[in-house]
Amino acid sequence: MSFNTFGHMFRVTTFGESHGVAIGCVVDGCPPMIPLTEADIQQDLDRRRPGQSRFTTQRQEPDQVKILSGVMAHPETGVQVTTGTPIGLLIENTDQRSKDYSEIKDKFRPGHADFTYEAKYGLRDYRGGGRSSARETATRVAAGAIARKVLPDVKVRGALVQIGPHKIDRAKWDWDEIARNPFFCPDKDKAAFFETYLDGIRKSGSSIGAVIEVVAEGVPAGLGAPIYAKLDSDLAGAMMTINAVKGVEIGAGFGAAELTGEENADEMRTGNDGTRFLSNHAGGVLGGISTGQPVVVRFAVKPTSSILQPRLTVDRKGAETEIFTKGRHDPCVGIRAVPVGEAMMACVLADHFLRDRGQVGR
Amino acid sequence: MSFNTFGHMFRVTTFGESHGVAIGCVVDGCPPMIPLTEADIQQDLDRRRPGQSRFTTQRQEPDQVKILSGVMAHPETGVQVTTGTPIGLLIENTDQRSKDYSEIKDKFRPGHADFTYEAKYGLRDYRGGGRSSARETATRVAAGAIARKVLPDVKVRGALVQIGPHKIDRAKWDWDEIARNPFFCPDKDKAAFFETYLDGIRKSGSSIGAVIEVVAEGVPAGLGAPIYAKLDSDLAGAMMTINAVKGVEIGAGFGAAELTGEENADEMRTGNDGTRFLSNHAGGVLGGISTGQPVVVRFAVKPTSSILQPRLTVDRKGAETEIFTKGRHDPCVGIRAVPVGEAMMACVLADHFLRDRGQVGR
Amino acid sequence: MSFNTFGHMFRVTTFGESHGVAIGCVVDGCPPMIPLTEADIQQDLDRRRPGQSRFTTQRQEPDQVKILSGVMAHPETGVQVTTGTPIGLLIENTDQRSKDYSEIKDKFRPGHADFTYEAKYGLRDYRGGGRSSARETATRVAAGAIARKVLPDVKVRGALVQIGPHKIDRAKWDWDEIARNPFFCPDKDKAAFFETYLDGIRKSGSSIGAVIEVVAEGVPAGLGAPIYAKLDSDLAGAMMTINAVKGVEIGAGFGAAELTGEENADEMRTGNDGTRFLSNHAGGVLGGISTGQPVVVRFAVKPTSSILQPRLTVDRKGAETEIFTKGRHDPCVGIRAVPVGEAMMACVLADHFLRDRGQVGR
Amino acid sequence: MSFNTFGHMFRVTTFGESHGVAIGCVVDGCPPMIPLTEADIQQDLDRRRPGQSRFTTQRQEPDQVKILSGVMAHPETGVQVTTGTPIGLLIENTDQRSKDYSEIKDKFRPGHADFTYEAKYGLRDYRGGGRSSARETATRVAAGAIARKVLPDVKVRGALVQIGPHKIDRAKWDWDEIARNPFFCPDKDKAAFFETYLDGIRKSGSSIGAVIEVVAEGVPAGLGAPIYAKLDSDLAGAMMTINAVKGVEIGAGFGAAELTGEENADEMRTGNDGTRFLSNHAGGVLGGISTGQPVVVRFAVKPTSSILQPRLTVDRKGAETEIFTKGRHDPCVGIRAVPVGEAMMACVLADHFLRDRGQVGR
């Protein structure tokens, strides 16, 4: 069974393969009367688009989104708004470079989903990874752009906070830097270092992992649903669906294992407009429900599995062989995972926001 | 909206509060003809049961499970088997010690869900944490015992691998040790150390975090569903629903961020019975689908929020105050999270196992 | 795969067999702060309770409901209210008369689910029909009582409008009559006739079908969700889950097939408080969304399959044989289906009501 | 909340408006390795296509379907097969005749969803009915063509059995006639009558209702899931989602209300290959589970609401007015509902077929 929908009230269903005709998605459950144009979605897509620097794949895809349904000009204002019906989005694939797939058609690339898709389905789309390609994430970013519109008072931003063993200096965090370097890195100095560092990785035909942090500000207290739709559970599940992600943490995360109860508890005082927390080890979530503080999620992305170094593998017949993956790839897939992480955060929050409006007690 | 069901084909719905009449669950989707008695479930419950050592809460609960439906004596063999209909399970609460709740009734305990439940619902069950209490996890362990029966060839085991900053020595890993110490610790020496260490924590009225690792062996290749029901996504979401969990990782996890592509790729060779991997950085999951290797999940548990140290807080009226939490508590909730983690792993695997039998290509 | 949950935001999960220890359900998604006691639920259960007249099964079950979770005394008012957490309900089976099942243990009763449960599960609980018994509907009535509380301004009432070929006279419809005869019949004269008529059916060891109509008044316009969660689709699906139901219709129903467009269209005028319809062929639903008029659903119930007349059948080994069903049965199961139909209507409306509060445009 | 997905294991998500750029759907959960081309889908679409006789709307839409994803040439055979990933389907709208909508833009057409969409969403796509148009059913027919492929041994056929008060003669039922008249009518003589009869309806600017019967042969015993995913419940819900449907019945349906237990019970004997039923009042479903007999569903379709006769209505401001609907419409929408009913039947059966392969006991 494949399963290509996420969300309960704000539901996104995606389709499409890396080298097929098109990719797309259906956003179902978006409330009506929200102004929405293709340009609103395009600006998020452009942040994820490949080929923007030498540190991401050189595949050239304009990633031009087309809205197929779910919007109309408001009968009075003429402004294009959502109608409450499903929004179909289409992105055509234009740069499915015709290449020789004979090398990977019958061999399983280590670290890729080749072996497992074949084990599950009996066949796999070997052209660019088919459905398992990160190309699918473009549709999530498009959906995320709509999710942001559902949450006008929430600001969702992501940042790359680690590449390989190199972590940013949190004291130097500046959100404005994100747009100024090709890494979505909030630490200007570390961004400069990453440029040199990743050049080395790229030139050696290798790749490297990364850690991304996504922060949502303006989330009201009370979002999330005990027990099996906790906000942090849904966030963890959502982030783990992103290609190459191997770990997710909220707030203090794995660091919380090393804390004592006194250190970890976020003490409370009274602020101007209600309760104020003196720290945020919780990452904005207690008991699966938002506290009103920023929601903070981090996730670890493994290194790109497509590398120019030969690796041992087997082929579809079970014979032992070697493989190395030519072609256009990201030396660090973590970079382009930043807008994808933002999109998933926005979608999960929009989903819970719409669910929780069903609640009387708020 | 509360949401107290997890799973798609193997569905578990839980109910009950810490200090109510009873807790319980409904296990729906369990295949018929599986031998099942209360004793089968009880043995897992007994591993989680409180009050078994001085390192867990002194609340005395026999946690005696009662099967209310879904089983019958097989008409020919007389063996009690599942019928394919929903299995109702009930565990009565017996030790809801009547105590004075005036201290916590109106104050929000930092680190607990007090503030957020109140923000969401307008009221909260202050008696022992109500629904947000880890007592709910007993019902998961009961459900997990049934899930194990659905997967006769899969062995799911959990271990505590870190308390505070102290990690076990993986070279000393011995599964047999798990049952010999009160920590589910596979490293005999470290278990001895934890005894002293936790005594110190406990006596100081403090608490400490931990990391748990759950391993499933015998999982066939091909379980999991792209894109939004990836096996690792469902596992991450499931573990994150456990009380106090702040991080989840699969295989190399956050460590993967520091690896190069060459290091991370699990190379493949031919083995006696098919493909053999030379390493398992993937933790048994590639592209969201199981590889046939052991599925390895780790999760971080924050320190118990109920501590004897006073912390700053506010009350329901917004007035600033202090609180310290008397009562019976675990100095390290991570310990009893081990069987809970196993149960969640078993449930997720059973769910995917049942879903994937709908697949033609396998 | 069994599936024992219905609803999306107001979710009811039921369990239990006719002759097991207990039946029960979990009501999940009920908003907090709603006053709720066992007595509130009991009054609906008492209307469905067997053994109240000679026209329903003589099984004696007090059907005493017990609330296991999800309520507490409000900290200020002391009134018992819902907390927003799942409400566990339990009804013990007390009159599982030990009887000789050898007659039906190995033979398939025509019209019953014996053959199909066996075909699906390989075994079946032959004691009183097990899970396929209408006893399960007691838990729905309990859940429906809670659903009514979610919809304080909606009045849901059901009536028996036909037994066998005998339809009531709609001109004589009087809701007050419902409580005055054992048939929930709104036509006093027809009720008197039914008494004689059903006595004949009962004494001949036969049974007869019926039609029930359920009407919900006070439903606001705008409930329902295109395309696959239309209000009428959910109602049709819900009614068809009730034991023995073979047909469902909304408004004019099958009669609409015989109407012209002019006859069928419900014309609109302006009323005191908005739009007023001049007729209600639509049954209160257009395009799957409520119009604000009464929602009107009818469903047909087949005759009880347990009869004292011998019928041809086969046994589990495939040998041809005969069977006739002794035991306590309803000559017309349609009678007790009235409160069950009300409960399903209430649950569907509560579910949509909670979903639609997630809508911006209203 | 809109909800545009149906099915659990075989999931179809549709999007698109009558007069938008395109309509389409995503079919998710289709097993891999099934041969599938656009031509396979097109042949079903052509049966539903408008403009094929003077008895359906004169809108000219080629309804050419395009497969966007989820298929590839099998690496060995070269035959195009499904891959197990979601199948995106697109049908462009080509004949969105630019017309003057001023008449209906601000007035609510009685019998249509105009008033209710406006009540729910605050606006509605008045161009051709937008999302509430039966145009959406083209995407269901496309999905149904794929569902048929999942069920190679099941034959799903529909027939029009009644128009207005005129029922076919069941003794004259000939499936071969279905393709020989523009009504999908299995009774040759009645088809001839319908030609004259509908001409009269059409010329008078009126419309008329109809009843459709869909039969699935070859359905194995054991499909369906107690209690809330009974096969007949899912079928009833599915049929009721079709535009203009007001009633659904299974087997004897509403007629069962008039039967005695002896008449209604389908007696059983032994046949060549197992149990044989002597009648099929059950319509192939007992206790929500298929019996192995043909599954028989009937549904009533109300008359087209768009008629040339003026009707009383109100406008968006609440002012009383009149309306009559010019434009291209079907005098009997029931006709084109036949292939749509088949598609829904096929989808529900495929869904249950895939679910039930998760069952051990079969």
Side-chain angles (χ1 to χ4, degrees):
Chain A
M1 161 179 165
S2 82
F3 196 88
N4 294 278
T5 296
F6 70 93
H8 289 255
M9 294 293 275
F10 185 85
R11 286 177 308 286
V12 180
T13 302
T14 71
F15 64 90
E17 282 83 40
S18 174
H19 285 58
V21 179
I23 58 175
C25 68
V26 183
V27 177
D28 193 11
C30 182
M33 295 290 191
I34 297 179
L36 181 72
T37 65
E38 290 173 351
D40 292 327
I41 302 171
Q42 197 62 49
Q43 73 184 39
D44 273 19
L45 276 173
D46 287 347
R47 293 181 66 229
R48 180 207 157 275
R49 192 151 56 82
Q52 300 189 99
S53 80
R54 67 183 183 278
F55 305 108
T56 58
T57 171
Q58 294 308 298
R59 178 170 176 169
Q60 293 298 331
E61 285 287 357
D63 278 357
Q64 198 73 38
V65 72
K66 204 167 161 183
I67 301 180
L68 299 178
S69 64
V71 296
M72 69 178 289
H74 189 283
E76 273 120 43
T77 66
V79 173
Q80 181 165 296
V81 294
T82 58
T83 59
T85 58
I87 304 168
L89 299 177
L90 197 75
I91 301 170
E92 285 177 40
N93 288 330
T94 60
D95 187 18
Q96 319 99 302
R97 188 180 298 185
S98 73
K99 64 174 239 188
D100 180 8
Y101 289 109
S102 55
E103 178 71 9
I104 62 166
K105 186 179 169 188
D106 293 315
K107 292 181 183 177
F108 301 126
R109 294 169 299 166
H112 275 290
D114 297 351
F115 173 74
T116 54
Y117 268 65
E118 191 101 14
K120 185 177 192 71
Y121 296 115
L123 88 170
R124 70 190 151 90
D125 190 339
Y126 47 82
R127 298 164 301 174
R131 182 72 178 151
S132 71
S133 163
R135 176 133 191 79
E136 184 266 351
T137 60
T139 64
R140 311 189 191 198
V141 170
I146 299 175
R148 289 180 198 265
K149 294 259 173 182
V150 175
L151 302 162
D153 301 326
V154 176
K155 183 183 274 186
V156 176
R157 292 183 293 191
L160 186 143
V161 298
Q162 181 181 339
I163 295 184
H166 309 288
K167 301 182 182 184
I168 63 156
D169 180 349
R170 291 189 160 257
K172 294 185 183 163
W173 190 299
D174 178 358
W175 280 112
D176 291 339
E177 286 301 321
I178 300 287
R180 294 192 191 120
N181 62 67
F183 309 109
F184 301 100
C185 179
D187 171 350
K188 184 180 180 176
D189 298 340
K190 198 61 76 179
F193 168 79
F194 285 157
E195 199 140 342
T196 316
Y197 177 71
L198 272 187
D199 265 337
I201 296 282
R202 185 171 57 83
K203 285 172 182 163
S204 69
S206 182
S207 65
I208 192 77
V211 176
I212 286 86
E213 181 166 321
V214 182
V215 180
E217 289 165 292
V219 177
L223 287 197
I227 300 285
Y228 302 111
K230 286 178 170 172
L231 185 57
D232 40 359
S233 166
D234 279 3
L235 285 169
M239 296 307 173
M240 203 63 106
T241 65
I242 302 174
N243 307 53
V245 172
K246 300 302 286 182
V248 185
E249 58 183 18
I250 311 284
F254 276 86
E258 308 197 8
L259 299 179
T260 63
E262 306 90 277
E263 291 164 341
N264 182 67
D266 300 315
E267 294 184 300
M268 287 178 264
R269 296 282 86 182
T270 304
N272 290 338
D273 53 351
T275 299
R276 176 170 61 93
F277 290 86
L278 304 184
S279 53
N280 190 14
H281 294 100
V285 186
L286 282 174
I289 301 172
S290 62
T291 62
Q293 286 198 287
V295 176
V296 181
V297 178
R298 267 181 308 283
F299 56 93
V301 179
K302 71 181 185 184
T304 318
S305 296
S306 299
I307 48 176
L308 290 168
Q309 312 284 348
R311 308 308 294 160
L312 302 179
T313 192
V314 297
D315 66 20
R316 297 182 69 216
K317 310 292 181 196
E320 302 193 338
T321 180
E322 284 203 351
I323 193 169
F324 70 104
T325 319
K326 289 163 293 189
R328 305 160 295 178
H329 296 287
D330 303 76
C332 176
V333 280
I335 299 171
R336 287 170 58 212
V338 174
V340 181
E342 292 176 359
M344 296 311 285
M345 169 77 93
C347 286
V348 169
L349 291 174
D351 189 26
H352 275 276
F353 176 75
L354 293 174
R355 291 191 220 177
D356 279 319
R357 297 197 50 193
Q359 203 55 259
V360 158
R362 307 187 62 223
Chain B
M1 162 178 164
S2 82
F3 196 89
N4 295 278
T5 297
F6 69 93
H8 289 256
M9 294 292 276
F10 185 86
R11 285 177 308 286
V12 180
T13 302
T14 71
F15 64 89
E17 280 84 42
S18 175
H19 285 58
V21 181
I23 57 174
C25 66
V26 184
V27 177
D28 192 11
C30 182
M33 296 289 192
I34 297 179
L36 181 72
T37 65
E38 289 172 352
D40 292 328
I41 301 170
Q42 197 62 48
Q43 72 183 39
D44 273 20
L45 276 173
D46 287 347
R47 294 179 66 229
R48 180 206 158 278
R49 192 151 54 84
Q52 300 190 98
S53 80
R54 68 185 183 278
F55 305 108
T56 58
T57 171
Q58 294 308 300
R59 178 170 176 168
Q60 292 298 331
E61 284 289 356
D63 277 357
Q64 199 72 40
V65 71
K66 204 168 163 183
I67 300 181
L68 299 177
S69 64
V71 296
M72 69 177 290
H74 189 283
E76 273 120 43
T77 65
V79 173
Q80 180 165 297
V81 294
T82 58
T83 59
T85 57
I87 304 168
L89 299 177
L90 198 75
I91 301 169
E92 285 177 39
N93 288 330
T94 61
D95 187 19
Q96 318 101 300
R97 187 180 297 186
S98 74
K99 63 175 239 189
D100 181 8
Y101 288 110
S102 56
E103 178 71 8
I104 63 167
K105 186 179 168 188
D106 293 316
K107 293 180 183 176
F108 301 127
R109 296 168 298 166
H112 275 290
D114 297 352
F115 173 74
T116 54
Y117 268 65
E118 191 100 15
K120 184 176 193 72
Y121 297 115
L123 87 171
R124 71 191 151 91
D125 191 339
Y126 47 82
R127 300 161 301 174
R131 181 73 180 149
S132 72
S133 164
R135 176 131 191 80
E136 184 266 352
T137 60
T139 65
R140 309 189 193 199
V141 170
I146 299 175
R148 289 181 198 266
K149 295 259 173 183
V150 175
L151 302 162
D153 301 326
V154 175
K155 182 183 276 187
V156 176
R157 293 183 292 192
L160 186 144
V161 297
Q162 180 181 340
I163 295 184
H166 307 288
K167 302 183 180 182
I168 63 158
D169 179 349
R170 292 191 159 255
K172 295 186 183 164
W173 191 297
D174 178 359
W175 280 113
D176 290 339
E177 285 301 321
I178 301 287
R180 294 193 191 121
N181 62 67
F183 310 109
F184 302 100
C185 178
D187 170 351
K188 186 181 180 175
D189 298 339
K190 198 63 75 179
F193 168 78
F194 285 157
E195 200 139 342
T196 316
Y197 177 70
L198 272 187
D199 264 339
I201 296 283
R202 185 171 57 85
K203 285 171 184 165
S204 68
S206 182
S207 64
I208 192 75
V211 176
I212 285 85
E213 181 166 321
V214 181
V215 180
E217 291 166 292
V219 177
L223 288 196
I227 299 287
Y228 301 111
K230 286 178 169 173
L231 185 57
D232 39 359
S233 166
D234 279 3
L235 285 169
M239 296 308 173
M240 203 64 105
T241 66
I242 302 173
N243 308 51
V245 172
K246 299 303 285 184
V248 184
E249 57 183 18
I250 313 283
F254 275 86
E258 308 198 5
L259 300 179
T260 64
E262 305 90 277
E263 290 164 342
N264 182 67
D266 300 314
E267 295 184 300
M268 288 178 261
R269 297 281 84 183
T270 305
N272 289 338
D273 53 351
T275 299
R276 176 170 61 93
F277 290 85
L278 303 185
S279 55
N280 190 15
H281 293 99
V285 185
L286 282 174
I289 302 172
S290 63
T291 62
Q293 286 199 287
V295 175
V296 181
V297 178
R298 268 181 308 282
F299 56 92
V301 179
K302 72 180 184 183
T304 317
S305 296
S306 299
I307 49 177
L308 291 169
Q309 313 284 350
R311 310 306 295 158
L312 303 178
T313 191
V314 297
D315 66 18
R316 297 181 70 215
K317 310 290 182 199
E320 301 193 341
T321 179
E322 283 203 353
I323 194 169
F324 71 104
T325 320
K326 289 164 293 192
R328 305 158 297 177
H329 297 288
D330 302 77
C332 175
V333 281
I335 298 171
R336 286 169 60 212
V338 175
V340 181
E342 292 176 358
M344 296 311 283
M345 169 77 92
C347 287
V348 170
L349 290 174
D351 189 26
H352 276 275
F353 176 74
L354 293 174
R355 289 191 222 177
D356 279 319
R357 296 199 49 197
Q359 205 55 260
V360 160
R362 306 185 62 222
Chain C
M1 161 179 162
S2 80
F3 195 88
N4 294 279
T5 296
F6 70 93
H8 288 256
M9 293 292 276
F10 185 85
R11 285 178 308 286
V12 180
T13 301
T14 72
F15 65 89
E17 280 84 41
S18 176
H19 285 58
V21 180
I23 58 174
C25 67
V26 183
V27 177
D28 192 13
C30 182
M33 296 287 192
I34 296 179
L36 182 72
T37 66
E38 289 172 353
D40 293 326
I41 301 171
Q42 197 62 48
Q43 72 183 40
D44 274 18
L45 276 172
D46 287 347
R47 294 180 65 229
R48 179 206 157 277
R49 194 151 53 83
Q52 300 190 99
S53 81
R54 65 183 183 278
F55 306 107
T56 58
T57 172
Q58 295 308 300
R59 178 171 176 167
Q60 293 297 332
E61 284 288 355
D63 278 356
Q64 199 72 39
V65 71
K66 204 168 162 184
I67 300 180
L68 300 177
S69 63
V71 296
M72 68 178 289
H74 188 283
E76 272 119 45
T77 65
V79 173
Q80 181 165 297
V81 294
T82 57
T83 58
T85 58
I87 303 169
L89 300 176
L90 198 74
I91 300 169
E92 284 177 41
N93 288 330
T94 60
D95 187 17
Q96 319 102 302
R97 187 179 299 186
S98 72
K99 65 174 236 189
D100 180 8
Y101 289 109
S102 56
E103 178 71 7
I104 63 166
K105 185 179 168 188
D106 293 316
K107 293 180 183 177
F108 301 125
R109 295 169 299 166
H112 274 290
D114 297 352
F115 173 74
T116 53
Y117 268 65
E118 190 101 15
K120 185 177 191 72
Y121 297 115
L123 87 171
R124 70 190 153 91
D125 190 339
Y126 46 81
R127 300 163 301 174
R131 181 72 180 149
S132 71
S133 164
R135 176 133 190 78
E136 183 266 352
T137 60
T139 63
R140 308 188 194 199
V141 170
I146 299 175
R148 289 181 200 265
K149 295 261 173 181
V150 175
L151 302 162
D153 301 326
V154 175
K155 181 183 278 188
V156 177
R157 293 183 293 192
L160 186 142
V161 297
Q162 181 181 337
I163 296 184
H166 308 288
K167 301 183 181 185
I168 64 158
D169 179 351
R170 291 191 159 256
K172 296 185 183 164
W173 190 298
D174 179 358
W175 279 113
D176 290 339
E177 286 301 322
I178 301 287
R180 295 194 190 119
N181 61 68
F183 310 108
F184 302 101
C185 179
D187 170 352
K188 185 180 179 175
D189 299 339
K190 198 62 74 179
F193 168 79
F194 285 157
E195 200 140 343
T196 317
Y197 177 71
L198 272 187
D199 265 338
I201 296 282
R202 185 171 56 84
K203 285 171 183 162
S204 68
S206 183
S207 64
I208 191 75
V211 176
I212 285 87
E213 181 166 321
V214 181
V215 180
E217 289 166 292
V219 177
L223 287 197
I227 300 290
Y228 302 111
K230 285 179 169 171
L231 185 58
D232 40 359
S233 165
D234 279 3
L235 285 168
M239 297 308 174
M240 202 63 106
T241 65
I242 301 175
N243 307 53
V245 173
K246 299 303 286 183
V248 184
E249 58 183 18
I250 311 285
F254 275 87
E258 309 197 5
L259 299 178
T260 63
E262 306 89 278
E263 292 163 342
N264 182 68
D266 300 316
E267 295 184 301
M268 289 178 262
R269 296 281 85 182
T270 305
N272 290 337
D273 53 351
T275 299
R276 174 172 62 93
F277 290 86
L278 303 184
S279 54
N280 190 14
H281 294 100
V285 185
L286 283 174
I289 302 173
S290 62
T291 62
Q293 286 198 287
V295 176
V296 182
V297 178
R298 268 180 309 282
F299 57 92
V301 179
K302 70 180 184 184
T304 318
S305 298
S306 299
I307 48 177
L308 290 168
Q309 312 285 348
R311 308 309 292 157
L312 303 178
T313 192
V314 297
D315 67 17
R316 297 181 70 215
K317 309 291 182 199
E320 301 193 341
T321 180
E322 284 202 351
I323 193 168
F324 71 103
T325 320
K326 290 164 293 191
R328 307 159 295 178
H329 296 289
D330 303 75
C332 176
V333 280
I335 300 170
R336 286 169 60 213
V338 175
V340 182
E342 292 176 358
M344 296 311 283
M345 170 77 93
C347 286
V348 169
L349 291 174
D351 189 25
H352 276 276
F353 176 74
L354 293 174
R355 289 190 222 177
D356 278 319
R357 298 197 46 196
Q359 205 55 260
V360 159
R362 305 187 61 223
Chain D
M1 161 177 163
S2 81
F3 196 87
N4 294 278
T5 297
F6 69 93
H8 288 255
M9 294 293 276
F10 185 85
R11 285 178 307 287
V12 180
T13 301
T14 71
F15 65 88
E17 281 84 41
S18 176
H19 285 58
V21 180
I23 57 175
C25 68
V26 183
V27 177
D28 192 12
C30 182
M33 294 290 191
I34 297 179
L36 182 72
T37 65
E38 289 173 353
D40 292 327
I41 301 171
Q42 197 63 47
Q43 73 184 39
D44 274 19
L45 276 174
D46 287 347
R47 293 179 67 228
R48 180 206 157 279
R49 195 151 54 84
Q52 300 189 97
S53 80
R54 67 184 182 279
F55 306 107
T56 57
T57 171
Q58 296 307 300
R59 177 171 175 168
Q60 293 297 331
E61 283 288 356
D63 278 356
Q64 199 72 41
V65 71
K66 204 167 163 184
I67 302 180
L68 300 177
S69 64
V71 296
M72 67 178 290
H74 188 284
E76 272 121 43
T77 66
V79 173
Q80 181 165 296
V81 294
T82 57
T83 58
T85 57
I87 303 169
L89 299 176
L90 197 75
I91 300 170
E92 286 177 40
N93 288 330
T94 61
D95 187 18
Q96 318 101 301
R97 189 179 296 185
S98 73
K99 65 174 235 189
D100 180 9
Y101 289 110
S102 55
E103 178 70 9
I104 62 167
K105 186 180 167 187
D106 292 316
K107 293 181 183 177
F108 301 126
R109 295 168 299 166
H112 275 291
D114 297 353
F115 173 73
T116 53
Y117 268 65
E118 190 101 15
K120 185 176 191 74
Y121 297 115
L123 87 170
R124 71 190 151 93
D125 190 339
Y126 47 82
R127 299 163 302 173
R131 182 71 181 150
S132 71
S133 164
R135 177 134 190 77
E136 184 266 351
T137 60
T139 63
R140 309 189 193 199
V141 171
I146 299 175
R148 289 182 199 265
K149 295 259 172 182
V150 175
L151 301 162
D153 301 327
V154 175
K155 182 183 275 187
V156 176
R157 292 183 293 191
L160 186 142
V161 297
Q162 180 182 338
I163 295 184
H166 308 288
K167 301 184 181 184
I168 63 158
D169 180 349
R170 290 191 160 256
K172 295 187 183 162
W173 191 297
D174 178 358
W175 280 113
D176 290 339
E177 285 301 322
I178 301 287
R180 295 193 191 120
N181 63 66
F183 310 108
F184 302 100
C185 178
D187 171 350
K188 186 180 179 175
D189 298 338
K190 198 60 78 181
F193 168 79
F194 285 158
E195 200 141 342
T196 316
Y197 177 71
L198 273 187
D199 265 337
I201 296 283
R202 186 170 56 85
K203 285 172 184 163
S204 69
S206 182
S207 64
I208 191 76
V211 176
I212 285 87
E213 179 167 321
V214 182
V215 180
E217 289 165 292
V219 177
L223 288 197
I227 302 290
Y228 302 112
K230 286 179 170 172
L231 186 57
D232 39 359
S233 165
D234 279 3
L235 285 169
M239 296 308 173
M240 203 62 107
T241 64
I242 301 175
N243 306 54
V245 172
K246 298 305 285 184
V248 184
E249 57 184 16
I250 312 284
F254 275 86
E258 308 198 6
L259 300 179
T260 64
E262 306 89 278
E263 292 164 341
N264 182 67
D266 300 315
E267 295 184 301
M268 288 177 263
R269 296 282 86 183
T270 304
N272 289 337
D273 53 349
T275 299
R276 175 171 61 93
F277 290 85
L278 302 184
S279 55
N280 190 16
H281 294 100
V285 185
L286 283 173
I289 301 173
S290 62
T291 62
Q293 286 198 287
V295 176
V296 181
V297 178
R298 266 179 310 283
F299 57 92
V301 180
K302 71 179 184 185
T304 318
S305 298
S306 299
I307 48 177
L308 291 168
Q309 313 284 349
R311 308 308 293 158
L312 302 178
T313 191
V314 297
D315 66 18
R316 299 181 68 215
K317 309 290 182 198
E320 301 192 341
T321 180
E322 285 202 351
I323 193 169
F324 71 104
T325 320
K326 289 161 295 189
R328 304 158 296 177
H329 296 290
D330 303 75
C332 175
V333 281
I335 300 171
R336 285 169 60 212
V338 175
V340 181
E342 293 177 357
M344 296 311 283
M345 169 77 92
C347 286
V348 170
L349 290 174
D351 189 24
H352 275 276
F353 175 75
L354 293 175
R355 290 191 221 177
D356 279 319
R357 298 198 50 196
Q359 204 57 259
V360 159
R362 306 187 60 224

